[in-house]
Amino acid sequence: MAERGLEPAPAAVAALPPEVRAQLAELELELSEGDITQKGYEKKRSKLLSPYIPQTQETDSAVQKEHRNQTPAPSAPQTSAPSKYHRTRSGGARDERYRSDIHTEAVQAALAKHKEQKMALPMPTKRRSTFVQSPADACTPPDTSSASEDEGSLRRQAALSAVLQQSLQNAESWINRSIQGSSTSSSASSTLSHGEVKGTSGSLADVFANTRIENFSAPPDVTTTTSSSSSSSSIRPANIDLPPSGIVKGMHKGSNRSSLMDTADGVPVNSRVSTKIQQLLNTLKRPKRPPLKEFFVDDSEEIVEVPQPDPNQPKPEGRQMTPVKGEPLGVICNWPPALESALQRWGTTQAKCPCLTALDVTGKPVYTLTYGKLWSRSLKLAYTLLNKLGTKNEPVLKPGDRVALVYPNNDPVMFMVAFHGCLLAEVIPVPIEVPLTRKDAGGQQIGFLLGSCGIALALTSEVCLKGLPKTQNGEIVQFKGWPRLKWVVTDSKYLSKPPKDWQPHISPAGTEPAYIEYKTSKEGSVMGVTVSRLAMLSHCQALSQACNYSEGETVVNVLDFKKDAGLWHGMFANVMNKMHTISVPYSVMKTCPLSWVQRVHAHKAKVALVKCRDLHWAMMAHRDQRDVSLSSLRMLIVTDGANPWSVSSCDAFLSLFQSHGLKPEAICPCATSAEAMTVAIRMMCIVKPDGPPQLCKTDEIGEICVSSRTGGMMYFGLAGVTKNTFEVIPVNSAGSPVGDVPFIRSGLLGFVGPGSLVFVVGKMDGLLMVSGRRHNADDIVATGLAVESIKTVYRGRIAVFSVSVFYDERIVVVAEQRPDASEEDSFQWMSRVLQAIDSIHQVGVYCLALVPANTLPKTPLGGIHISQTKQLFLEGSLHPCNILMCPHTCVTNLPKPRQKQPGVGPASVMVGNLVAGKRIAQAAGRDLGQIEENDLVRKHQFLAEILQWRAQATPDHVLFMLLNAKGTTVCTASCLQLHKRAERIAAVLGDKGHLNAGDNVVLLYPPGIELIAAFYGCLYAGCIPVTVRPPHQNLTATLPTVRMIVDVSKAACILTTQTLMRLLRSREAAAAVDVKTWPTIIDTDDLPRKRLPQLYKPPTPEMLAYLDFSVSTTGMLTGVKMSHSAVNALCRAIKLQCELYSSRQIAICLDPYCGLGFALWCLCSVYSGHQSILIPPMELENNLFLWLSTVNQYKIRDTFCSYSVMELCTKGLGNQVEVLKTRGINLSCIRTCVVVAEERPRIALQQSFSKLFKDIGLSPRAVSTTFGSRVNVAICLQGTSGPDPTTVYVDLKSLRHDRVRLVERGAPQSLLLSESGKILPGVKVVIVNPETKGPVGDSHLGEIWVNSPHTASGYYTIYDSETLQADHFNTRLSFGDAAQTLWARTGYLGFVRRTELTAATGERHDALYVVGALDETLELRGLRYHPIDIETSVSRVHRSIAECAVFTWTNLLVVVVELCGSEQEALDLVPLVTNVVLEEHYLIVGVVVVVDPGVIPINSRGEKQRMHLRDSFLADQLDPIYVAYNM
């Protein structure tokens, strides 16, 4: 022995403390009996001696408690053959090895060890109104600790539990007490920030994830004024593009980023949300157990590997086992040839003997069935079934047919008669549960069994039939998934007496089926185990011999008499041995838990059949009964011996009831299964649980297989599964069969110990395979229960199952929470359970959920329906009231984060127009120069001149019509009217405003013709117009942005309406901004009839025409300068692309303040002469039909809208298509319906819009999109000619690596992208690597650069930053033929792909695909993610998610979801969101925030303002329903 060198001398051994000597002796004994391997012996021995021998190396205690599933030293023999049981337990002396409190001690040790580390976990934030549980007294507790079948780990000996409580009270709780003065939020959420994190602000700013590509510089921060007095955060843009509900502030990227993070908008970063996130970061700094392997092959192929089991875990060392045999059946001369013969014998010779006693609700005997009555009634039923149900020629039932038996658990008498009646009639009974509702847990699967058995007839009692759910006309409802059944009542008065000469046909038992017992598999499917008459008889004989049954004995049966041990002992062995069974139903046990003990006492019963739960309940109620005696019991059979807590239950029960005469040797745990019946009475072997049935080694746990004629014969109608279960031939390690005897898989896990004792350690159904290691669900339940749970959850109501997420199984624990448990208690209990399971089983729990009392789906006898619970969890309808997700600990198989490779040098790959063998990714619209234009262009270089020319040439031609919500025209403007109005405004600017040419003027108008007139008035006066969206009701949110644009643009004057002028100077406005320092405000409502002597004409077309200000989705406010030549070129390009002439009409439903929306609303009609029908988008909120009915009324061929308008129509009119038809709305006139956007096309929205309105004539080809950016407002626009927009599927994984890989439709992880319209005339586009600034090849991802005459001439800044101007507007490629051209950088990623289609020029068409804004991308794990992709996945996951937005904060991914369902669904979303992001994007969500609808800010273009949302979250302004911090 290796360790013998460390051996203390014999004298030293004598000096050891007595308890250590005793333990050493016990170890020796275990080794000699083969209960422990040599290696295990040496390990334990050296551990025992280590304190006394200094050199001994300590071994980690965690290794010692190696999982039962790996090294099954039988420290707790759960079961053994009943017959052998008495032998090993002679004299009632308990062997010290079989202590039942070892598990609890291990849990306490593990928790104590964790306590030293003291990690503060952030507790979830919950809105008070949510999940209010009724007070404890109003809430019925679930059926008294609702008795799960595995009611469990029963109250330990009183002493033990006292010690346990003591230790827990003394223990300083693992979670630090809540910090002093934790900041409360507006939602008064019950949060406790455990552990104040000091000085976090700096550190958080340091780790703040920078989500931009470094070389891509941001536009200038035009919001920071030069004045030193104003701080960077005092004038942050509160984008007015916000819905009134969101109080949000912009967040800019510029020099002031770090200072901003310190304050998170004026709220110190260590406010509540941030403290919690810091705690979360701290907990995540702990190393994960399995280190990430270096298995990164090529970064385009992310290889996800399920972690393999730890190579150091103990390996089995025994020899291969040989099958072991039970004792042979004794030869008894008077065994009946069939069970029916036994019934006939007793029924005719011992008619008065009692057979079965039923109890009433109070537990008092109410009726006793004698053997004579049983025989006569069964005969009547058999005769009726065969002869009275149909006609003589067409009987309804023939021998061999299957019938369902539907009897409640409190009616054993009717059931017994029905069962034996079926046996006598040779029809096959299929006992099932009484269906209570149409949607019982597992009811549909029962229906499948009935259907597959071909059952058309159900037997039941009159009382039961009356209680079944009925339809309104009194028929029994059609249960979900059930076949149509004919119901037959079996009460005596409805049965016919057989004629004297009629006798049932009773043949000797053979292999023909006797009955079918249903069994629910782990996945919830129900199978019927068919048992032959021979197996039924042999099993009875085996049980009679093993239990030593004799005639006339009394048995108390608490089990379900319809299946399993309750049926075998209480209905078969009972009749075989003429015994008397007292049946105690579950309903009686619920009201009087001690009733079975009282029955044993009253009837001096010899045998009792119970489960651990019944022992536990009896102990709970023990105080009520002092004078019961259990001395008559010679056997107390505990049938759920496969539970890890069965031994401790038996021990605790014995210690309490030994004083009441209970004999220690009477207690007999055993294990059973529907397939193999009672295990441990026949020849058996142990095989590997998965793969071929290979025999295990002697010290290895596997599935128990039995071979005898007393098992089931098949699963009814399932030949394939039958072969794998009932006809197993074990094989040896070489794979060759061992013998030719078929074995039956029992579904039980265990091993054969010394002396051929069978040890059962669990069920196959409870086996969880996580990361290559097996765990037992019941073991995990036992560990959870060992953490003192009394205050928080109901002991018997814990479900453990695994769900498949991201290439591995993940463990989920669900428990029912007591109504009086506080948030604090629950969270603490959950945290401790996580640690205990982590320490003892070395496995992380993925999700721990607590649900309100009595809400988990139940099995008929009160246990938890596991598969149904799992289904509810996965579909998001479990409705937890507390949840804790720990994906960071569990998910250890993520690919390695990507390290960016240094780029290839430019020279090596560029040859002519090819990059690495591919055509350079560039595309261009038609050439403007070649297109002939009328005299208009040559004559007039300025838009103001064109308006003047139109006012002379076509004075009465109407250019603009403005509609209100009713669809009536409220205002029109002809060429002359517009010109006149503009002249007056120009005059006012000179007179009242005293403005000079070149001064900036802010136009503050609602969408309308007034805005257009003011724009041209400014041009006539030589001023520079700046259009600004007016503030609305929520002034505090929207007015600061107006103020900021006024300040940043250095406006000399504000033109507006009287109403808005009053608003700007109002008291409400003063609360939001400084109203005293507004520049001159002029209202244009009543203008004097005056005109300027001379209209201004700019000296050159390069002069500034107007400023375009916009707030980007990242919270940046940017203004760009548009020159007169750019305006002209833009209008010309749009005119050519859309074929706009003065005879045409277009309808515009867009906001007219910036970008292409402004150009279409204000500029294009004047240039091209077409008529624009203007529909302000806000009018749609009052009348959803407005836009579409206008299009129909005026037979519009071309219409423009925004995504928010399209979404409003799709959601609001989704169910109104019939109404549209009745109103006569027809959209077949539309040739182009163009969505104006600065983002990736939203294909799903476009497709649903097209599909929805296809029925009223909308052509799917009509819908298209535009693309523009800050540097160039119109790059693409579909137009009227040219090929339809093309679509491609790209691989999402490659996209994260900045690559494009085209895939087929339906490929996994594929993303559908659509072309963003056709490139406008005069526009050139090239795709560039943003880091190297070199061009990339066709179908490669890069930044979109643009060159066109209508590109903006630069940013409008307070201090002209030349470098930035040059980088964004006048930049050159680092190499290549196009290196001489000046390009503008759009800041968007995309790619160009040459298609097979032909463009208008006759060449092949190059399609531009926009992927997303660089600014918005999230860099996580070295990969680039587009928020919209993650959001799309999240939105699909649950019907109650209305909207979703993601952002990062300190490298954590935060997902905000709007809940449109009831608040009790809030916590259902947390695991679903975490799962989907992990599965589809390989990311772990850090925080899930559930908020009310409308909280996510969306601007007028329909884009989410994610940075505003982030600021509001950090400033704690969201009033969330729930915030979950994933550990």
Side-chain angles (χ1 to χ4, degrees):
M1 277 196 206
E3 310 257 340
R4 286 291 186 195
L6 306 174
E7 183 101 6
V13 172
L16 290 171
E19 63 273 16
V20 176
R21 292 209 304 272
Q23 282 170 304
L24 279 172
E26 188 181 323
L27 264 183
E28 296 282 357
L29 176 69
E30 285 190 16
L31 182 66
S32 65
E33 287 192 0
D35 284 3
I36 188 171
T37 60
Q38 184 69 42
K39 201 169 175 185
Y41 166 78
E42 284 161 14
K43 221 177 193 179
K44 287 190 169 178
R45 190 170 188 285
S46 60
K47 186 159 192 281
L48 274 175
L49 295 176
S50 59
Y52 311 101
I53 302 174
Q55 318 85 294
T56 311
Q57 292 198 326
E58 284 197 25
T59 46
D60 181 10
S61 62
V63 183
Q64 290 293 329
K65 298 181 197 96
E66 188 37 79
H67 210 239
R68 170 182 333 203
N69 299 2
Q70 271 76 32
T71 43
S75 58
Q78 265 81 358
T79 64
S80 66
S83 55
K84 305 239 158 86
Y85 204 86
H86 305 301
R87 233 176 271 167
T88 55
R89 302 183 63 173
S90 56
R94 293 306 306 273
D95 188 326
E96 182 50 32
R97 280 176 298 166
Y98 302 140
R99 275 173 44 237
S100 58
D101 50 359
I102 291 175
H103 200 127
T104 314
E105 286 174 12
V107 171
Q108 296 312 315
L111 289 176
K113 191 168 146 202
H114 263 283
K115 206 170 62 200
E116 292 153 22
Q117 297 172 0
K118 279 208 190 102
M119 288 302 290
L121 294 186
M123 196 167 145
T125 310
K126 189 185 285 188
R127 192 185 282 170
R128 278 269 163 81
S129 64
T130 319
F131 331 104
V132 176
Q133 289 209 351
S134 50
D137 49 0
C139 191
T140 54
D143 312 342
T144 51
S145 79
S146 270
S148 75
E149 304 276 30
D150 8 273
E151 165 48 63
S153 128
L154 308 64
R155 218 53 84 63
R156 322 273 171 227
Q157 296 89 327
L160 176 73
S161 55
V163 170
L164 229 140
Q165 262 175 318
Q166 184 100 27
S167 67
L168 286 185
Q169 283 160 358
N170 303 352
E172 171 192 330
S173 94
W174 174 64
I175 297 183
N176 294 343
R177 288 339 245 151
S178 71
I179 56 161
Q180 295 73 35
S182 136
S183 70
T184 53
S185 80
S186 52
S187 59
S189 40
S190 51
T191 3
L192 290 135
S193 307
H194 297 294
E196 172 96 286
V197 183
K198 295 282 189 290
T200 49
S201 50
S203 62
L204 289 172
D206 300 342
V207 275
F208 178 65
N210 197 334
T211 57
R212 290 178 294 119
I213 288 194
E214 290 315 313
N215 293 27
F216 176 69
S217 16
D221 182 1
V222 293
T223 58
T224 321
T225 51
T226 41
S227 75
S228 54
S229 59
S230 68
S231 78
S232 63
S233 60
S234 64
I235 55 154
R236 300 174 55 209
N239 179 13
I240 34 185
D241 278 355
L242 290 182
S245 60
I247 303 178
V248 280
K249 303 267 169 74
M251 155 85 204
H252 3 286
K253 304 198 188 62
S255 51
N256 62 350
R257 164 159 287 181
S258 63
S259 64
L260 225 158
M261 280 322 300
D262 292 345
T263 60
D265 188 30
V267 178
V269 166
N270 57 1
S271 87
R272 211 179 44 156
V273 170
S274 322
T275 312
K276 292 198 170 177
I277 295 184
Q278 185 59 50
Q279 288 175 358
L280 185 51
L281 288 175
N282 291 346
T283 62
L284 299 184
K285 281 178 194 156
R286 285 183 287 180
K288 294 182 183 176
R289 199 171 293 102
L292 287 168
K293 290 212 188 103
E294 303 291 315
F295 52 75
F296 213 66
V297 181
D298 165 39
D299 62 357
S300 70
E301 287 304 313
E302 296 170 88
I303 293 169
V304 183
E305 183 180 298
V306 176
Q308 290 310 307
D310 178 7
N312 304 323
Q313 75 183 31
K315 304 267 188 298
E317 295 167 351
R319 53 184 174 72
Q320 182 181 300
M321 73 158 302
T322 50
V324 293
K325 282 196 161 95
E327 357 176 310
L329 266 179
V331 181
I332 298 179
C333 51
N334 65 345
W335 282 132
L339 190 61
E340 300 90 327
S341 312
L343 173 59
Q344 185 176 25
R345 175 181 165 193
W346 305 128
T348 49
T349 63
Q350 307 277 340
K352 294 274 194 297
C353 285
C355 168
L356 176 68
T357 295
L359 306 182
D360 65 10
V361 195
T362 61
K364 300 279 183 292
V366 67
Y367 180 81
T368 297
L369 179 73
T370 61
Y371 276 96
K373 282 268 186 249
L374 175 60
W375 169 245
S376 63
R377 286 189 195 171
S378 303
L379 264 183
K380 278 167 82 173
L381 179 60
Y383 177 72
T384 307
L385 290 178
L386 292 176
N387 300 292
K388 293 293 178 189
L389 295 182
T391 61
K392 206 165 202 167
N393 301 332
E394 285 185 28
V396 172
L397 276 182
K398 305 185 294 297
D401 286 350
R402 272 90 38 214
V403 294
L405 266 52
V406 185
Y407 293 92
N409 278 322
N410 55 6
D411 196 355
V413 173
M414 292 297 286
F415 175 81
M416 192 168 198
V417 169
F419 196 95
H420 286 286
C422 288
L423 293 183
L424 291 175
E426 295 179 284
V427 297
I428 301 167
V430 184
I432 58 169
E433 305 303 335
V434 177
L436 300 175
T437 64
R438 271 211 65 199
K439 292 184 182 155
D440 278 357
Q444 199 168 347
Q445 286 77 11
I446 292 275
F448 175 75
L449 171 73
L450 298 177
S452 62
C453 289
I455 290 175
L457 203 68
L459 307 186
T460 187
S461 65
E462 192 171 22
V463 177
C464 183
L465 190 71
K466 282 182 181 156
L468 290 176
K470 310 277 194 303
T471 58
Q472 283 165 340
N473 51 12
E475 289 172 17
I476 290 165
V477 298
Q478 181 63 26
F479 297 108
K480 201 173 171 191
W482 283 38
R484 286 218 167 276
L485 292 180
K486 181 178 176 191
W487 294 83
V488 175
V489 175
T490 61
D491 294 56
S492 274
K493 57 184 173 187
Y494 299 111
L495 302 179
S496 313
K497 201 170 177 195
K500 290 269 193 299
D501 57 347
W502 187 84
Q503 281 299 320
H505 175 244
I506 299 176
S507 58
T511 54
E512 63 280 356
Y515 69 96
I516 295 176
E517 175 171 328
Y518 83 85
K519 163 196 190 271
T520 307
S521 75
K522 185 178 181 177
E523 291 74 40
S525 56
V526 171
M527 298 180 289
V529 177
T530 311
V531 180
S532 68
R533 290 179 66 227
L534 181 61
M536 178 168 74
L537 180 71
S538 311
H539 191 214
C540 275
Q541 293 169 349
L543 287 180
S544 304
Q545 186 175 328
C547 301
N548 221 340
Y549 284 146
S550 56
E551 290 181 22
E553 281 191 318
T554 304
V555 179
V556 171
N557 178 22
V558 193
L559 308 175
D560 181 1
F561 52 74
K562 293 195 290 298
K563 55 192 291 197
D564 213 72
L567 180 65
W568 308 327
H569 290 267
M571 296 278 156
F572 301 165
N574 174 29
V575 170
M576 179 82 133
N577 297 293
K578 200 196 76 177
M579 302 195 305
H580 177 197
T581 300
I582 319 283
S583 187
V584 182
Y586 171 62
S587 52
V588 170
M589 286 294 293
K590 279 193 342 193
T591 51
C592 174
L594 211 59
S595 52
W596 73 268
V597 178
Q598 293 163 347
R599 289 298 106 211
V600 170
H601 170 73
H603 294 268
K604 304 270 183 291
K606 289 285 200 306
V607 181
L609 293 154
V610 296
K611 287 195 169 187
C612 297
R613 173 191 72 197
D614 308 318
L615 300 181
H616 179 61
W617 284 6
M619 290 187 283
M620 302 276 280
H622 168 248
R623 283 186 296 279
D624 311 342
Q625 288 286 335
R626 294 270 174 252
D627 53 347
V628 291
S629 163
L630 298 181
S631 56
S632 61
L633 276 185
R634 61 178 185 77
M635 275 190 101
L636 175 58
I637 301 177
V638 184
T639 54
D640 51 354
N643 283 340
W645 48 75
S646 59
V647 172
S648 57
S649 315
C650 295
D651 284 358
F653 187 78
L654 177 64
S655 68
L656 194 58
F657 281 93
Q658 204 161 359
S659 57
H660 293 261
L662 179 63
K663 298 184 270 296
E665 64 274 17
I667 297 181
C668 167
C670 70
T672 63
S673 79
E675 292 86 349
M677 303 198 171
T678 310
V679 180
I681 344 178
R682 34 260 154 88
M683 179 165 167
M684 66 164 60
C685 64
I686 312 288
V687 300
K688 297 269 167 76
D690 36 27
Q694 186 185 334
L695 284 172
C696 290
K697 297 191 169 156
T698 48
D699 56 348
E700 207 175 354
I701 284 184
E703 183 175 6
I704 299 173
C705 294
V706 301
S707 166
S708 82
R709 53 186 202 170
T710 66
M713 54 194 271
M714 62 176 180
Y715 291 128
F716 192 90
L718 301 171
V721 201
T722 294
K723 195 159 187 60
N724 293 340
T725 306
F726 293 93
E727 299 162 28
V728 176
I729 306 280
V731 297
N732 59 20
S733 50
S736 48
V738 179
D740 51 3
V741 183
F743 281 75
I744 301 173
R745 286 182 181 270
S746 67
L748 297 168
L749 291 168
F751 59 96
V752 177
S756 295
L757 275 181
V758 184
F759 290 77
V760 181
V761 299
K763 305 184 191 79
M764 281 290 287
D765 279 357
L767 207 56
L768 313 173
M769 190 78 169
V770 181
S771 306
R773 285 181 63 193
R774 295 197 187 93
H775 301 273
N776 187 336
D778 282 339
D779 286 348
I780 291 174
V781 171
T783 301
L785 288 168
V787 177
E788 192 48 60
S789 57
I790 273 327
K791 287 193 213 142
T792 315
V793 299
Y794 289 102
R795 300 183 70 91
R797 310 293 297 159
I798 299 183
V800 173
F801 51 87
S802 67
V803 293
S804 183
V805 181
F806 195 60
Y807 306 99
D808 200 358
E809 291 297 309
R810 315 282 174 196
I811 291 180
V812 179
V813 180
V814 183
E816 282 190 2
Q817 178 177 314
R818 291 176 176 273
D820 48 352
S822 69
E823 290 289 305
E824 178 82 351
D825 286 346
S826 303
F827 184 67
Q828 211 174 78
W829 181 78
M830 291 162 90
S831 317
R832 301 182 62 174
V833 167
L834 293 177
Q835 287 157 0
I837 293 172
D838 190 77
S839 287
I840 286 178
H841 304 278
Q842 265 108 60
V843 67
V845 173
Y846 180 67
C847 175
L848 205 169
L850 299 184
V851 299
N854 256 332
T855 55
L856 287 181
K858 292 192 175 87
T859 59
L861 289 189
I864 296 173
H865 200 293
I866 303 278
S867 58
Q868 192 86 11
T869 304
K870 176 174 172 176
Q871 195 181 336
L872 292 176
F873 174 79
L874 288 174
E875 67 191 27
S877 37
L878 195 60
H879 308 330
C881 50
N882 265 310
I883 200 159
L884 203 50
M885 299 279 303
C886 304
H888 294 279
T889 344
C890 300
V891 181
T892 51
N893 57 330
L894 284 172
K896 215 174 73 174
R898 176 175 76 148
Q899 261 73 49
K900 285 257 169 76
Q901 303 302 319
V904 187
S908 62
V909 290
M910 184 77 198
V911 185
N913 258 0
L914 298 177
V915 179
K918 285 211 169 194
R919 202 180 61 82
I920 283 190
Q922 54 189 11
R926 289 180 290 169
D927 192 343
L928 270 176
Q930 297 171 353
I931 302 163
E932 282 308 312
E933 182 63 278
N934 58 13
D935 302 340
L936 181 69
V937 177
R938 275 188 233 103
K939 280 205 307 243
H940 307 298
Q941 290 178 307
F942 304 105
L943 209 52
E945 290 181 347
I946 296 175
L947 178 59
Q948 292 159 41
W949 173 77
R950 286 199 185 283
Q952 289 166 354
T954 54
D956 300 328
H957 175 63
V958 176
L959 288 177
F960 299 102
M961 284 171 63
L962 178 71
L963 305 185
N964 65 7
K966 289 179 180 151
T968 49
T969 308
V970 283
C971 181
T972 60
S974 64
C975 302
L976 185 61
Q977 284 168 330
L978 186 63
H979 167 67
K980 289 258 173 73
R981 181 98 184 143
E983 279 188 323
R984 288 185 200 165
I985 290 175
V988 166
L989 283 172
D991 293 353
K992 277 195 192 171
H994 312 295
L995 299 189
N996 305 316
D999 282 347
N1000 295 348
V1001 176
V1002 163
L1003 311 183
L1004 202 62
Y1005 290 96
I1009 292 173
E1010 199 59 32
L1011 173 71
I1012 303 168
F1015 177 81
Y1016 288 100
C1018 289
L1019 295 190
Y1020 282 2
C1023 298
I1024 313 296
V1026 183
T1027 50
V1028 178
R1029 173 193 313 280
H1032 51 71
Q1033 301 91 332
N1034 191 348
L1035 287 182
T1036 45
T1038 54
L1039 199 57
T1041 309
V1042 176
R1043 177 82 229 190
M1044 185 175 295
I1045 298 176
V1046 168
D1047 292 347
V1048 170
S1049 64
K1050 297 191 292 216
C1053 164
I1054 298 175
L1055 286 182
T1056 185
T1057 63
Q1058 268 177 11
T1059 322
L1060 283 168
M1061 182 163 97
R1062 281 199 294 274
L1063 183 69
L1064 290 183
R1065 293 185 167 145
S1066 68
R1067 196 175 298 160
E1068 291 82 4
V1073 295
D1074 181 3
V1075 294
K1076 295 193 176 69
T1077 54
W1078 288 119
T1080 315
I1081 302 178
I1082 301 173
D1083 85 80
T1084 54
D1085 286 2
D1086 302 314
L1087 294 172
R1089 293 188 177 279
K1090 188 176 176 186
R1091 45 186 283 207
L1092 283 180
Q1094 186 191 355
L1095 298 183
Y1096 173 83
K1097 180 175 178 181
T1100 70
E1102 277 60 53
M1103 293 284 287
L1104 203 53
Y1106 71 95
L1107 293 180
D1108 184 327
F1109 273 90
S1110 167
V1111 179
S1112 76
T1113 52
T1114 50
M1116 280 293 314
L1117 172 67
T1118 21
V1120 292
K1121 300 187 280 195
M1122 290 292 285
S1123 67
H1124 287 280
S1125 62
V1127 169
N1128 230 15
L1130 173 66
C1131 292
R1132 186 169 169 216
I1134 294 173
K1135 172 180 177 170
L1136 292 168
Q1137 194 81 332
C1138 300
E1139 298 175 4
L1140 299 173
Y1141 307 108
S1142 27
S1143 57
R1144 300 283 306 282
Q1145 263 187 328
I1146 66 170
I1148 303 173
C1149 190
L1150 281 171
D1151 268 334
Y1153 299 106
C1154 59
L1156 185 55
F1158 167 76
L1160 288 165
W1161 189 283
C1162 291
L1163 313 179
C1164 292
S1165 273
V1166 170
Y1167 183 91
S1168 308
H1170 61 271
Q1171 188 183 86
S1172 294
I1173 297 174
L1174 308 176
I1175 306 166
M1178 50 193 177
E1179 301 289 1
L1180 248 69
E1181 290 175 15
N1182 305 323
N1183 175 9
L1184 283 172
F1185 300 99
L1186 176 62
W1187 174 44
L1188 299 181
S1189 57
T1190 305
V1191 167
N1192 172 63
Q1193 182 186 343
Y1194 294 94
K1195 294 288 171 269
I1196 301 287
R1197 293 183 67 191
D1198 303 285
T1199 179
F1200 295 83
C1201 70
S1202 65
Y1203 275 127
S1204 42
V1205 166
M1206 188 173 266
E1207 192 161 27
L1208 206 60
C1209 291
T1210 311
K1211 284 184 175 167
L1213 299 174
N1215 46 11
Q1216 307 266 331
V1217 178
E1218 290 307 313
V1219 181
L1220 289 167
K1221 278 186 187 166
T1222 53
R1223 290 190 177 192
I1225 293 178
N1226 187 323
L1227 302 182
S1228 53
C1229 54
I1230 296 183
R1231 178 174 57 171
T1232 61
C1233 169
V1234 183
V1235 186
V1236 174
E1238 296 185 10
E1239 58 178 300
R1240 177 202 301 176
R1242 300 190 203 170
I1243 303 183
L1245 178 57
Q1246 285 169 227
Q1247 286 176 343
S1248 46
F1249 180 79
S1250 306
K1251 271 193 196 136
L1252 191 59
F1253 300 114
K1254 186 179 72 179
D1255 290 354
I1256 52 169
L1258 179 66
S1259 157
R1261 296 177 53 185
V1263 181
S1264 65
T1265 161
T1266 70
F1267 171 61
S1269 69
R1270 284 285 68 207
V1271 296
N1272 187 317
V1273 296
I1275 297 167
C1276 301
L1277 179 84
Q1278 183 57 35
T1280 49
S1281 60
D1284 286 343
T1286 55
T1287 55
V1288 289
Y1289 286 88
V1290 297
D1291 179 51
L1292 257 179
K1293 283 195 245 176
S1294 304
L1295 216 51
R1296 292 172 208 147
H1297 290 277
D1298 289 340
R1299 301 199 183 148
V1300 175
R1301 190 164 71 100
L1302 300 181
V1303 291
E1304 293 298 313
R1305 176 181 181 172
Q1309 295 267 334
S1310 60
L1311 170 69
L1312 177 60
L1313 291 177
S1314 165
E1315 185 184 354
S1316 295
K1318 300 287 168 284
I1319 295 174
L1320 281 167
V1323 176
K1324 291 196 193 76
V1325 163
V1326 65
I1327 307 295
V1328 182
N1329 179 326
E1331 270 110 13
T1332 64
K1333 298 197 178 176
V1336 299
D1338 186 87
S1339 296
H1340 278 57
L1341 190 71
E1343 188 186 352
I1344 301 168
W1345 287 16
V1346 61
N1347 164 283
S1348 102
H1350 63 254
T1351 299
S1353 41
Y1355 288 126
Y1356 184 82
T1357 55
I1358 292 154
Y1359 39 84
D1360 280 326
S1361 159
E1362 288 309 320
T1363 53
L1364 216 95
Q1365 257 350 8
D1367 183 51
H1368 278 203
F1369 289 89
N1370 309 307
T1371 190
R1372 287 189 163 86
L1373 292 171
S1374 54
F1375 59 90
D1377 292 359
Q1380 303 322 307
T1381 315
L1382 286 178
W1383 298 91
R1385 302 179 63 170
T1386 62
Y1388 282 81
L1389 287 175
F1391 60 96
V1392 164
R1393 176 173 164 268
R1394 176 150 278 189
T1395 64
E1396 299 300 318
L1397 306 169
T1398 310
T1401 54
E1403 293 182 4
R1404 278 173 66 193
H1405 165 61
D1406 293 313
L1408 172 66
Y1409 297 92
V1410 178
V1411 175
L1414 262 168
D1415 264 14
E1416 290 219 316
T1417 57
L1418 315 173
E1419 290 227 8
L1420 292 160
R1421 300 177 55 77
L1423 303 172
R1424 190 196 308 283
Y1425 289 88
H1426 294 271
I1428 184 68
D1429 295 328
I1430 300 176
E1431 288 159 359
T1432 305
S1433 300
V1434 170
S1435 298
R1436 277 201 316 262
V1437 90
H1438 195 278
R1439 62 186 179 283
S1440 295
I1441 296 179
E1443 189 56 270
C1444 156
V1446 302
F1447 52 83
T1448 52
W1449 194 66
T1450 56
N1451 283 324
L1452 283 177
L1453 180 64
V1454 181
V1455 179
V1456 180
V1457 289
E1458 289 183 356
L1459 173 73
C1460 60
S1462 73
E1463 284 194 356
Q1464 66 171 17
E1465 289 181 309
L1467 279 76
D1468 284 315
L1469 306 182
V1470 178
L1472 297 183
V1473 167
T1474 308
N1475 292 358
V1476 77
V1477 176
L1478 188 54
E1479 288 268 6
E1480 296 185 10
H1481 303 279
Y1482 300 3
L1483 289 177
I1484 292 178
V1485 177
V1487 185
V1488 181
V1489 187
V1490 185
V1491 295
D1492 297 310
V1495 167
I1496 295 172
I1498 290 178
N1499 68 12
S1500 58
R1501 291 191 295 274
E1503 299 162 337
K1504 295 169 193 164
Q1505 309 286 87
R1506 297 183 184 89
M1507 289 305 123
H1508 287 332
L1509 181 68
R1510 185 179 75 175
D1511 292 354
S1512 305
F1513 171 65
L1514 296 178
D1516 211 3
Q1517 294 166 345
L1518 292 183
D1519 184 21
I1521 298 171
Y1522 192 81
V1523 183
Y1525 301 94
N1526 286 348
M1527 305 299 162

